[in-house]
C-alpha cells in the first residue's frame, strides 16, 4: 500500500521558480483552518513495486501552468498507516494567526455597574454582597461563554482560616466568600484594564476613559481624606462600601503622604494622573472590619434556607431535627411580601413523607437508592432478604439536609447533614448546614454530661471530649464511575451513638448521618399542636 499527495497548482504568470513556490505556499494558506486546504488530497494507490521518489522539474522561463494541471510534488513510500492531512508538517497560516489574535483582542469586555455596599453586575446577572456561594457559581456556569477561566482558591488544611475565593482571571475580578457562612463578603477588581466599570450609568473606567484620581472625584464626589499604606505603597481612598487603591509611581513620593505630615491633611495631595490599581466593594465603612451581610431578599428566589439545625435526642440517641428556617417573597404577592420570615419546623424518625412535605415543603430532588453499600457491615447481611423496592431520599439542597425514607413503610429512617467544606467530593452541591449535635460524655466523673458538636468541630476534639478511643473507621471512596478517581481523596466514617461521622483528611467533618429505630409520629405531632 502506498500513498501520495497531489496538489493542483493555481494560475501563475511568473517564470522564476521562487515565484512558483511562493504562489504555491500562498495557495496552501488560503482558507487555512487547522493548517490544511481543500486542494490537498491524501489517497491510497496500488502501485505494485515501490517507485522511485519523483520530483517535478523546475518550471521553464515564461512557462504558464494551466488551471487544473496535476503536479506530482512527492511520492512517499508510506507503510499501511497514512498521516491525516492535519498532521502534515505545514507552516502555520499567518493569516489565520493574525485573525485569531484580532478576535481575541476584539472580544468584548464585561461592562458592569458598580453599586457601593451592594453589588457588581449588569442587566443579565449581578454579584450581590451576601449572596450564597452556590448562586455565584450558578451565574458563572450559566454565562460560561462570556465569563471564562474561573479559579477556586481555598486552604486545604485550614479551610476556616482563609476566605474562599472565586478568581475570574480573564476579567480581573475576585469574589471573596466568608469561610464560615459562605456568603459573598468582598468584591475585588484587581485589574481594571480587563473590565469596563460605570457608576449611575456613566463610565469611569473603559478603554477610552482612564480611572484617574480626577475621574474618580468627578464620578463619585468628595470623601474623607485617604490613607497611605507604606507597606504596600498604596494610597486608599474610601467611600462608604467602596474603596479605591492608587499605586504611587515612585517611592520618593511616599514620605509626604505619611499621616503625621501637615497635620494629616497631606493625604489630600494625591499626584495628578494617578490611576486606580484596585477597587473593593464591601459592606460598612471599613474594608478591614467588614463582614458578610445577611442574605438579601433578591437571593431567596422562592427557596427556604436553614439558619440553624438542632439535633434532638432521647436517652439512646438522636430522635429528630429542629430547623430554624428563613423564607422571603413567598406567595402570589411577591412585592407585598418583601420581607424575611423566620419560623421553626421539626421532623422526627418515623414521620411519613406527607408529614415531611407539610413541614419542609417539596424537596429539590428525589433520589432512589440502587444499592446499599454499607449493608456488608450489618451483623448478618446474608440473612437479610433483598427488598423489591428501593429506599428514596428527599434532597433539600438549600437546607444542607437529606432525608431517607423506607421503601415499604415510607417512614423516615435516616437524616444526613452536610457541611459543604471545599475539598470534599460533594462540595457546592449543598448549602452548609449549621447543625448542633449534643454528645453524651461517658467519663468517670461526667455521668449524664453532654457536649455540643457543631459544623466547625474537628474530629480530634470530639475524641478528646468522649474520653475513650473510637473504633477504626470505614474508608469511603467516592467517584462518579468505577473508572474515575476522586481528586480529593478518601474520607473516613466513624460510628458513634447511632450516628456516622464522615471525616475528611484535614480532620473536619464532611457529613453526619443520623439513624435509629422508627418512632411513631402521631403523638409527637399532637404535642406540637397549639
Amino acid at each position: 500500500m502506498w500513498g501520495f499527495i497531489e496538489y493542483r497548482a493555481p494560475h501563475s504568470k511568473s517564470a522564476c521558480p521562487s515565484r512558483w513556490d511562493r504562489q504555491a505556499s500562498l495557495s496552501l494558506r488560503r482558507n487555512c483552518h487547522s493548517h490544511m486546504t481543500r486542494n490537498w488530497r491524501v489517497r491510497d494507490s496500488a502501485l505494485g513495486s515501490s517507485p522511485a521518489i519523483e520530483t517535478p522539474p523546475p518550471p521553464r522561463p515564461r512557462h504558464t501552468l494551466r488551471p487544473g494541471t496535476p503536479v506530482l510534488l512527492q511520492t512517499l513510500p508510506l507503510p499501511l498507516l497514512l498521516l491525516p492531512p492535519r498532521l502534515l508538517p505545514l507552516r502555520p497560516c499567518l493569516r489565520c494567526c493574525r485573525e485569531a489574535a484580532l478576535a481575541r483582542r476584539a472580544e468584548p469586555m464585561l461592562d458592569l455597574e458598580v453599586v457601593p455596599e451592594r453589588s457588581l453586575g449588569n442587566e443579565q446577572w449581578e454579584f450581590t454582597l451576601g449572596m450564597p456561594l452556590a448562586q455565584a457559581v450558578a451565574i458563572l456556569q450559566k454565562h460560561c461563554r462570556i465569563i471564562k477561566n474561573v479559579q477556586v482558591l481555598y486552604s486545604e488544611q485550614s479551610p476556616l482560616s482563609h476566605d474562599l475565593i472565586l478568581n475570574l482571571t480573564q476579567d480581573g475580578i475576585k469574589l471573596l466568600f466568608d469561610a464560615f457562612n459562605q456568603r459573598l463578603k468582598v468584591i475585588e477588581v484587581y485589574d481594571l484594564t480587563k473590565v469596563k466599570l460605570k457608576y449611575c450609568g456613566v463610565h469611569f473606567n473603559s478603554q477610552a476613559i482612564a480611572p484617574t484620581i480626577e475621574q474618580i472625584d468627578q464620578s463619585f464626589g468628595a470623601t474623607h481624606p485617604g490613607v497611605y499604606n507604606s507597606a504596600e505603597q498604596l494610597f486608599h481612598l474610601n467611600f462608604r462600601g467602596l474603596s479605591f487603591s492608587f499605586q504611587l509611581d515612585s517611592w520618593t513620593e511616599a514620605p509626604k503622604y505619611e499621616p503625621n505630615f501637615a497635620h494629616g491633611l497631606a493625604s489630600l495631595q494625591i499626584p495628578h494622573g494617578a490611576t486606580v490599581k484596585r477597587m473593593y466593594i464591601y459592606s460598612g465603612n471599613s474594608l478591614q472590619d467588614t463582614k458578610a451581610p445577611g442574605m438579601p431578599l433578591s437571593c431567596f428566589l422562592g427557596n427556604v434556607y436553614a439558619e440553624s439545625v438542632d439535633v434532638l435526642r432521647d436517652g439512646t440517641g438522636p430522635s429528630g431535627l429542629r430547623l430554624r428556617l428563613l423564607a422571603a417573597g413567598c406567595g402570589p404577592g411577591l412585592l407585598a411580601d418583601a420581607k424575611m420570615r423566620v419560623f421553626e419546623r421539626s421532623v422526627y424518625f418515623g414521620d411519613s413523607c406527607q408529614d415531611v412535605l407539610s413541614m419542609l415543603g417539596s424537596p429539590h430532588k428525589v433520589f432512589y437508592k440502587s444499592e446499599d453499600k454499607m449493608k456488608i457491615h450489618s451483623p448478618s447481611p446474608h440473612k437479610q432478604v433483598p427488598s423489591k423496592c428501593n429506599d428514596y431520599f428527599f434532597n433539600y439542597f438549600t437546607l444542607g439536609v437529606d432525608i431517607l425514607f423506607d421503601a415499604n413503610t415510607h417512614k423516615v429512617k435516616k437524616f444526613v447533614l452536610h457541611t459543604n467544606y471545599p475539598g470534599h467530593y460533594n462540595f457546592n452541591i449543598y448549602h452548609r448546614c449549621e447543625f448542633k449535635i449534643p454528645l453524651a460524655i461517658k467519663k468517670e466523673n461526667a455521668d449524664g454530661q453532654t457536649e455540643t458538636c457543631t459544623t466547625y468541630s474537628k474530629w480530634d476534639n470530639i475524641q478528646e471530649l468522649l474520653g475513650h478511643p473510637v473504633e477504626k473507621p470505614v474508608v469511603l471512596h467516592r467517584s462518579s464511575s468505577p473508572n474515575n478517581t476522586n481528586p480529593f481523596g478518601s474520607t473516613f466514617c466513624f460510628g458513634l451513638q447511632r450516628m456516622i461521622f464522615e471525616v475528611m483528611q484535614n480532620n473536619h467533618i464532611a457529613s453526619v448521618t443520623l439513624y435509629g429505630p422508627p418512632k411513631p409520629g402521631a403523638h409527637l405531632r399532637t404535642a406540637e399542636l397549639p
Side-chain angles (χ1 to χ4, degrees):
M1 186 73 69
W2 302 87
F4 67 92
I5 302 174
E6 186 180 79
Y7 168 70
R8 296 185 180 273
H11 292 278
S12 176
K13 296 183 180 181
S14 175
C16 61
S18 61
R19 177 66 175 174
W20 185 88
D21 294 338
R22 187 159 54 251
Q23 288 193 354
S25 63
L26 288 175
S27 179
L28 290 179
R29 293 197 299 266
R30 185 176 298 127
N31 298 327
C32 174
H33 300 285
S34 303
H35 311 311
M36 62 173 291
T37 66
R38 299 178 182 177
N39 294 330
W40 285 94
R41 293 186 296 151
V42 180
R43 69 185 185 186
D44 301 335
S45 176
L47 300 179
S49 61
S50 174
I53 297 180
E54 301 178 2
T55 57
R60 297 178 180 180
R62 299 181 181 179
H63 174 73
T64 302
L65 293 176
R66 296 180 180 179
T69 303
V71 180
L72 185 63
L73 292 182
Q74 197 171 24
T75 303
L76 301 175
L78 300 178
L80 300 175
L81 204 52
L82 291 177
L83 289 174
R86 63 178 178 274
L87 298 181
L88 293 175
L90 298 178
R91 292 185 299 173
C93 174
L94 299 179
R95 178 183 176 185
C96 290
C97 294
R98 184 165 56 252
E99 291 178 354
L102 292 176
R104 288 193 300 267
R105 191 180 307 169
E107 189 172 352
M109 295 191 301
L110 295 180
D111 193 354
L112 305 178
E113 178 81 19
V114 175
V115 182
E117 206 175 11
R118 180 189 165 187
S119 64
L120 176 70
N122 53 26
E123 297 178 354
Q124 287 75 32
W125 51 266
E126 186 178 40
F127 293 123
T128 307
L129 296 178
M131 169 183 289
L133 172 66
Q135 287 190 15
V137 174
I139 291 176
L140 298 176
Q141 291 176 338
K142 183 178 180 180
H143 301 277
C144 60
R145 295 181 179 272
I146 302 175
I147 307 175
K148 305 175 183 178
N149 302 331
V150 179
Q151 297 176 345
V152 180
L153 308 178
Y154 65 94
S155 175
E156 185 176 4
Q157 295 299 325
S158 303
L160 298 177
S161 60
H162 301 281
D163 292 333
L164 180 62
I165 301 175
L166 296 181
N167 185 15
L168 285 59
T169 57
Q170 179 177 289
D171 307 301
I173 300 174
K174 284 184 180 179
L175 306 177
L176 284 71
F177 293 84
D178 187 88
F180 288 86
N181 54 43
Q182 296 185 344
R183 295 196 301 268
L184 184 56
K185 182 173 69 172
V186 177
I187 303 174
E188 175 186 354
V189 181
Y190 61 88
D191 192 347
L192 277 75
T193 62
K194 297 181 178 180
V195 65
K196 297 179 182 179
L197 300 174
K198 56 186 176 181
Y199 175 66
C200 294
V202 180
H203 285 92
F204 65 91
N205 174 64
S206 65
Q207 294 176 335
I209 303 174
T212 60
I213 180 60
E214 292 81 10
Q215 182 64 45
I216 298 301
D217 181 68
Q218 178 181 356
S219 300
F220 295 90
T223 184
H224 299 287
V227 178
Y228 175 72
N229 189 331
S230 58
E232 301 177 354
Q233 293 188 359
L234 292 177
F235 193 89
H236 302 286
L237 192 64
N238 301 319
F239 297 84
R240 179 172 178 84
L242 184 67
S243 292
F244 295 96
S245 298
F246 296 85
Q247 179 73 54
L248 297 182
D249 295 333
S250 174
W251 65 271
T252 57
E253 299 179 357
K256 63 181 180 181
Y257 301 108
E258 296 293 339
N260 296 328
F261 184 81
H263 306 287
L265 298 179
S267 57
L268 293 174
Q269 302 174 6
I270 303 177
H272 294 285
T275 57
V276 178
K277 184 179 181 181
R278 294 192 185 97
M279 183 192 73
Y280 302 91
I281 302 175
Y282 53 92
S283 177
N285 292 319
S286 175
L287 177 62
Q288 289 73 22
D289 301 331
T290 187
K291 296 181 180 179
M295 189 185 306
L297 297 177
S298 60
C299 294
F300 277 84
L301 302 177
N303 293 312
V304 178
Y305 294 87
E307 184 180 22
S308 63
V309 176
D310 295 328
V311 176
L312 306 176
R313 62 174 297 139
D314 52 18
T316 59
S319 60
L321 302 178
R322 181 172 62 242
L323 302 94
R324 183 176 174 86
L325 304 177
L326 304 176
C330 299
L334 297 180
L335 297 179
D337 193 19
K339 61 180 180 179
M340 186 180 301
R341 295 190 298 133
V342 182
F343 52 95
E344 289 188 357
R345 293 290 186 268
S346 298
V347 289
Y348 299 90
F349 288 110
D351 284 352
S352 64
C353 59
Q354 289 82 1
D355 293 332
V356 175
L357 288 173
S358 63
M359 291 292 105
L360 304 180
S362 299
H364 296 90
K365 187 177 180 181
V366 179
F367 175 76
Y368 289 88
K369 294 179 60 177
S370 59
E371 58 183 354
D372 190 358
K373 295 182 179 180
M374 302 299 290
K375 178 181 178 181
I376 193 173
H377 298 283
S378 60
S380 53
H382 59 282
K383 296 182 181 180
Q384 296 183 6
V385 179
S387 177
K388 297 182 181 180
C389 303
N390 296 328
D391 295 343
Y392 54 95
F393 280 100
F394 276 8
N395 303 124
Y396 292 93
F397 297 131
T398 57
L399 305 182
V401 176
D402 290 333
I403 303 177
L404 179 65
F405 293 90
D406 185 87
N408 298 318
T409 63
H410 302 284
K411 304 289 186 180
V412 176
K413 59 186 297 186
K414 285 185 182 179
F415 296 100
V416 184
L417 315 178
H418 300 271
T419 59
N420 196 40
Y421 275 107
H424 187 256
Y425 185 77
N426 290 333
F427 173 66
N428 198 50
I429 296 179
Y430 299 86
H431 289 246
R432 173 165 289 174
C433 179
E434 302 278 352
F435 60 76
K436 295 180 180 179
I437 304 175
L439 297 177
I441 304 301
K442 297 180 180 179
K443 292 183 180 180
E444 296 180 357
N445 300 327
D447 293 338
Q449 184 179 354
T450 60
E451 294 288 343
T452 302
C453 170
T454 67
T455 308
Y456 313 107
S457 300
K458 284 193 171 185
W459 182 247
D460 292 344
N461 300 332
I462 296 176
Q463 285 184 318
E464 292 179 2
L465 292 175
L466 295 177
H468 59 86
V470 183
E471 296 181 358
K472 291 183 179 181
V474 175
V475 182
L476 179 61
H477 302 277
R478 296 178 184 266
S479 62
S480 57
S481 66
N483 296 327
N484 291 343
T485 58
N486 182 359
F488 304 110
S490 304
T491 54
F492 308 96
C493 298
F494 296 88
L496 176 67
Q497 300 178 13
R498 282 177 31 201
M499 294 177 286
I500 297 178
F501 291 81
E502 183 188 358
V503 182
M504 302 169 61
Q505 296 182 6
N506 56 11
N507 276 325
H508 283 282
I509 300 173
S511 67
V512 181
T513 302
L514 315 176
Y515 62 97
K519 301 173 74 67
H523 67 280
L524 295 173
R525 293 299 172 199
T526 305
E528 288 185 354
L529 295 177

